[in-house]
């Protein structure tokens, strides 16, 4: 039995509060069990130097934790004066994932800044950040589409993420909390689209390995979880979800 | 008339949600109008090098803003690789203010870390951080007192802060929001105790000056505001407020 | 009795040597007791990005100490690779104070760089830096006015600063040296103009508090001290002082 | 047809020159087509703070490129003053991968430093670094085993890595060079053991996605390639390979 | 007798492998005994800000060591986040030396980047870097001359460097290896041209001194060594050496 | 004729004001023409890690310029967040030079910190810093010898430095000021002892070269200049100079 009584293929309770902040174009507070992440999407009217003059947009993400999001206080990266390797890896992952479901030609020479700030951490912060950021980004792009900044909503599909892993005693499980994650012999983060395609697959067996059969089972669990999260995203997005569905079919 | 319809001596609505986070020893979400700050207090069992072996405690504060706490996205200080002068000034102010109402001998060789993270900014973030941190710190120290870590609650008085300023058209006003702050010719942050004593007084007339009479009026406004904030703190602290009151009388 | 035999309302001997350096547009060596600060004013023909195109000038200050200005050698901030919070706080204070007596529209799109380098420290370095920088800046602006760079001297008033504080045994005192500052329960830095208006008021009772009556007395001491420092500045400035007086009256 | 005439499931020519450097305990120059990486393994007699007193070893990796390893000169990270997100991601990957085939209890309180310096880059530098580092590490651990520092060789299996991807025109291909990598719609790095188990799986469809069927095909290609690389490693290791094979069977 | 059996005036075996790397305009691997340095020359079509608009070129050098170039692993400067004083001193030396034999007016507004990466260190890395960089730079400039980017080869003379020193027991010696360098009481690096003129002379007696007579002897040794290195450079450069000789005579 | 009317072998007026600062163990203000440097020597009762437990002392130097020491304001290195290559080169030079005339075994496990702060710059700041630092260090070591911290004064000889160079029109000249230095085709800094031995010799012909004959002449000029500076040092040191002379003879 899992530590919090869940079935092996059961997600933690997920809640997405939209327009959580006053200032950003799009924002949410996403809650996955005890993990809480504020995701904000900001639109800037220019792109980084390497893209200038190409008429294409860009999406870039930043991720941070409050010092007391965790059990032990963690030192601020601004105080350390540098961003850790773990943070950079997560930031690059979030940006890449979101770029796979946005038509950057439609966005034009604009940068979408995604800020993910973990208020409270209990495992799965990076996948919660992706699932939440997708909604914040959709709200922001929806707002600009309404103002006729784009000729149509530049989002081509849904996108969500979750983690799966292998517990040495219980086997393959879905959506690991912090305690489960610490014990897991294999840990995998998966990002998928509404059409069921993979966007990112990052599996790692730190001091351990896994077979092709185990991989199969992990992928099935992830697929089930992500389908459920996308349903929650659709509810949060309301009418906007409909427009994404239309785009998804067009592809 | 003030932009949001308040009287010149009227605070914005203030709310303090205690134990906002799961992990820290003490935490609050303080809301002052549209300004929202998460304040967390953590207790560490050692002091910085300059205090070792003296049997005394220390209080240190860190302050940060989420990138989209503000109208325009502000760059993360971790990304810039350094903490701004403004941030350091605020951190030093918060630490100094809290140290004035704590009996650091009673605390013993422990550091109280105060983390103030501005989720949403609309003026007065540093004074909201002080008023909120006081409550977070009291909750943390209360918890340790209950566990008999201290022989009595090491807090000697209440403490709150607000801003006052001079609007070129309206005159002296209490608790400035962002728009008022931008227009003010004089801006003053005041920290006071429950007994009505000053702890910090930081008045500045950027590209402007002020007379002794104006100073008198600003101080009266601040005193009124701080008395009201302390009443809200008392409510938030419940039984713990009673213990502080007893200590306050002993002094 | 004070440690160096002064009356409670007595300044230390102050001396201002003008044109101390060969290269800067304006410079002084200010000596306040054993505190010695070199202040240099440089004029640059452009403003920081946030002011460009507005036709207004800017004043910015930098402050540093030689490693052996102090009893114990202090590490260079260039070696540490970052500027301390204390230094940034002082730099911001000096810049703000000087901007309050300069007509930045008259200055036009120029930046006045103020460099304050403490050669020897014995308390009151930041207030000495302000009083000295005012003179260095006036010399620099005077020189440019003579060259018809401005249609008139863009200084609207005199400006000086001092510290006051409460000694636990002696009470309120003026112009604290290092030993007095270390013992003081309340420490206040005050910047005032020639007309007797406040520009900055920074009072702090580290691990202590102060009443309204005590505040009154501290303000009176500071006023007396600043009047005397302004007299010394006038002597140092010679003819230039006359032009400032004329501007002061116009206002 | 592939740009360099290879079959879709064909590796580039691979060569591993052992003991390439004079000073390190183990070192190789690995050549994969035009990609050349110097891998060095150093043994230090202590572990990072978080592991002290546990009697276990640690493996940590650093990765860098010479400025002219690439077509365009890339700026040194020492000159920029910070290590990029990409570098940190690769360093963490190499360390994690190697730790999965080493018995860290047998290693005891020692750190194995792996240095991968890319002399010339033509795609696949991170997987070449893993395949080469494995050999450098085995040489170093073999040397210490001979000196009876360990009671047996602390390596439990072989380990190699390669990349696979989807070319928009050709389909699934093995071991992408730089030009192929730039065009690929999906890019996946895979690390496997001699027993055919997965250690790391990092698949990403930047601005693209991939189906489960495509994933299957990519995994098969990678498996074939890694088997061939392990054969080359065995040849390079000579007698030492035999000892690893014995350990592999014991597991 | 010297530790490796050489005569006091004997160089270690020197070998220069030209076009060692695929991407740079010019590159060599220079081997001096066990010291191995990769030198690459890159041409960029612009100059640093202080030279813009003057029609002149610039040469700048960077120098680094692989972590295991040395007996003890040395920490990467990218990890430390700053470049050491020793590294900067060497970089400035290499740049200055090369600039003395290049006609920068002929080069036009281009920067020649020299990258020296020490693969293996056994004393004399900076002088090997200069001798090797000269050849890499000549190859790069030769290539551009062939493409008619310059009206003639902009190199005015040959240039090489070596070290000399005083061994407390043996006396003056040429081309010190690491062990000799560690024992030497005086250490001198000398850069000379093909015409036998000095370009740089850096002699230092750390915790020791040297007389004018000793200086004379050291200079003679260096002259002999540098003549021999220039002969090896000429062989490596082939036809290009002839063009330099013609330029040398013109001067 | 030289720009300031001096003979080719004539030093600028030199003055050394001893005990210039209140706090350091030894300090001077050295004036060489318009170049002014404050040199302070501090004694710390421990050595850097690499020397611990060897019973030997260490000397380390730091060098900086005030922003307005120069014609154009130069940016503070603390603001830039890093120390320039030029500064590091000078710091290493000063430290090395002073270590050559101190008996570090006698000093014991202490570090002598030398701080050289250039107040005003007109060429020759590094050599002025060496000549001044020698006196500051001698004063500090003399003070500790009087307190019987050492069994005898641990200074073995005098030490001074100057620059020489080749002016394209005038030829070899001594003690170059800023204007002369900017025009010089060859620039050489020389450090010598009271016995006339070389300690450092750093000659550089930026974009130029020099012959053996020219070197001879430069060395003669430097020798004459340094003899004169040492006479000025002796006068400044008074009785202490006598003790150094006695040590010098003993060697």
């Amino acid at each position: 039995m899992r530590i919090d009584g869940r079935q092996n293929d059961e997600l933690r309770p997920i809640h997405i509060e939209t327009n959580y902040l006053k200032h950003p174009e799009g924002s949410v507070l996403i809650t996955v069990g005890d993990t809480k992440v504020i995701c904000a999407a900001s639109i800037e009217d220019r792109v980084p130097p390497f893209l200038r003059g190409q008429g294409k947009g860009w999406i870039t993400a930043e991720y941070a934790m409050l010092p007391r999001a965790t059990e032990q206080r963690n030192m601020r990266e601004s105080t350390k004066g540098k961003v850790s390797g773990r943070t950079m890896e997560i930031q690059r992952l979030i940006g890449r994932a979101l770029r796979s479901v946005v038509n950057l030609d439609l966005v034009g020479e604009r940068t979408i800044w995604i800020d993910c700030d973990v208020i409270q951490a209990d495992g799965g912060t990076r996948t919660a950040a992706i699932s939440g950021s997708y909604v914040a980004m959709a709200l922001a792009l929806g707002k600009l589409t309404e103002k006729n900044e784009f000729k149509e909503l530049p989002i081509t599909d849904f996108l969500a993420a979750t983690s799966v892993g292998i517990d040495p005693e219980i086997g393959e499980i879905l959506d690991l909390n912090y305690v489960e994650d610490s014990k897991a012999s294999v840990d995998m983060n998966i990002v998928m689209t509404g059409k069921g395609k993979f966007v990112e697959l990052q599996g790692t067996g730190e001091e351990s390995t896994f077979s092709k059969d185990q991989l199969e089972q992990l992928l099935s669990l992830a697929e089930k979880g992500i389908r459920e999260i996308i349903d929650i995203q659709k509810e949060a997005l309301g009418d906007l979800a409909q427009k994404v569905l239309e785009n998804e079919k067009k592809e």
Side-chain angles (χ1 to χ4, degrees), chain A:
Chain A
M1 264 279 286
R2 294 175 76 169
I3 193 170
D4 55 5
R6 277 187 288 154
Q7 299 299 315
N8 289 7
D9 67 349
E10 191 182 343
L11 292 171
R12 290 176 285 178
I14 296 179
H15 186 253
I16 299 173
E17 181 178 344
T18 53
N19 300 316
Y20 182 71
L21 296 177
K22 180 189 180 181
H23 299 302
E25 284 83 348
S27 66
V28 309
L29 171 66
I30 185 166
T31 310
V32 178
D34 274 340
T35 289
K36 295 181 187 193
V37 188
I38 298 178
C39 305
S42 312
I43 317 278
E44 187 188 23
D45 277 338
R46 57 175 182 177
V47 287
F50 71 89
L51 271 184
R52 273 180 210 151
Q54 300 181 27
K56 283 186 62 172
W58 187 244
I59 302 174
T60 194
E62 291 191 357
Y63 166 100
M65 273 200 189
L66 294 204
R68 280 317 298 274
T70 48
E71 185 69 38
Q72 300 294 318
R73 184 176 188 277
N74 61 80
M75 201 179 168
R76 272 170 212 276
E77 298 192 325
S78 58
T79 306
K80 279 190 256 179
K82 64 177 178 177
V83 172
S84 73
R86 179 186 172 273
T87 294
M88 289 204 191
E89 211 172 308
I90 294 174
Q91 294 184 157
R92 288 161 53 90
L93 169 64
I94 300 171
R96 266 198 322 262
L98 293 175
R99 285 196 295 275
S100 71
V101 292
V102 173
N103 183 333
L104 293 168
D105 291 315
L106 269 181
V107 169
E109 297 219 349
R110 289 182 182 88
T111 297
I112 307 171
W113 287 87
I114 301 295
D115 286 292
C116 302
D117 286 89
V118 180
I119 297 302
Q120 196 165 273
D122 187 31
T125 61
R126 82 184 69 185
T127 51
I130 291 171
S131 302
S133 295
Y134 174 80
V135 178
M137 182 184 75
L139 291 170
L141 292 177
K143 205 171 287 178
L144 268 78
T145 309
E146 263 178 45
K147 293 186 186 163
N148 295 313
E149 299 271 340
F150 313 126
K151 64 172 197 255
E152 57 179 305
L153 183 70
I155 300 182
T156 59
D157 204 341
F158 288 94
L159 182 95
T162 195
S163 71
V164 288
I166 301 181
D167 182 284
E169 286 151 35
I170 305 178
E172 289 76 12
I173 51 178
L174 173 64
D175 186 21
L176 288 67
N177 64 28
Y178 182 71
V179 172
E180 291 175 330
D181 189 80
S182 309
K183 289 197 319 175
S185 62
V186 175
D187 179 26
M188 189 172 287
N189 292 301
I190 292 174
V191 188
M192 291 182 88
T193 64
K195 285 209 205 77
K197 295 284 196 92
F198 294 106
V199 171
E200 286 276 340
L201 203 78
Q202 298 200 336
T204 176
E206 169 120 9
E207 302 175 28
S208 183
T209 61
F210 54 102
S211 69
K212 212 157 181 180
D213 280 356
Q214 288 172 314
L215 174 61
E216 289 292 336
Q217 276 201 270
L218 292 170
L219 296 179
S220 300
L221 277 179
E223 210 180 330
K224 174 182 179 292
I226 287 172
R227 257 199 320 262
E228 292 174 20
I229 300 170
I230 288 178
D231 284 342
I232 295 164
Q233 289 177 328
K234 284 178 183 165
E235 219 166 303
L237 285 172
D239 290 354
L240 210 49
Q242 199 52 42
K243 289 197 195 147
V244 177
L245 276 172
E246 285 161 24
N247 283 347
E248 193 191 318
K249 274 168 206 152
K250 270 188 266 177
E251 294 272 309

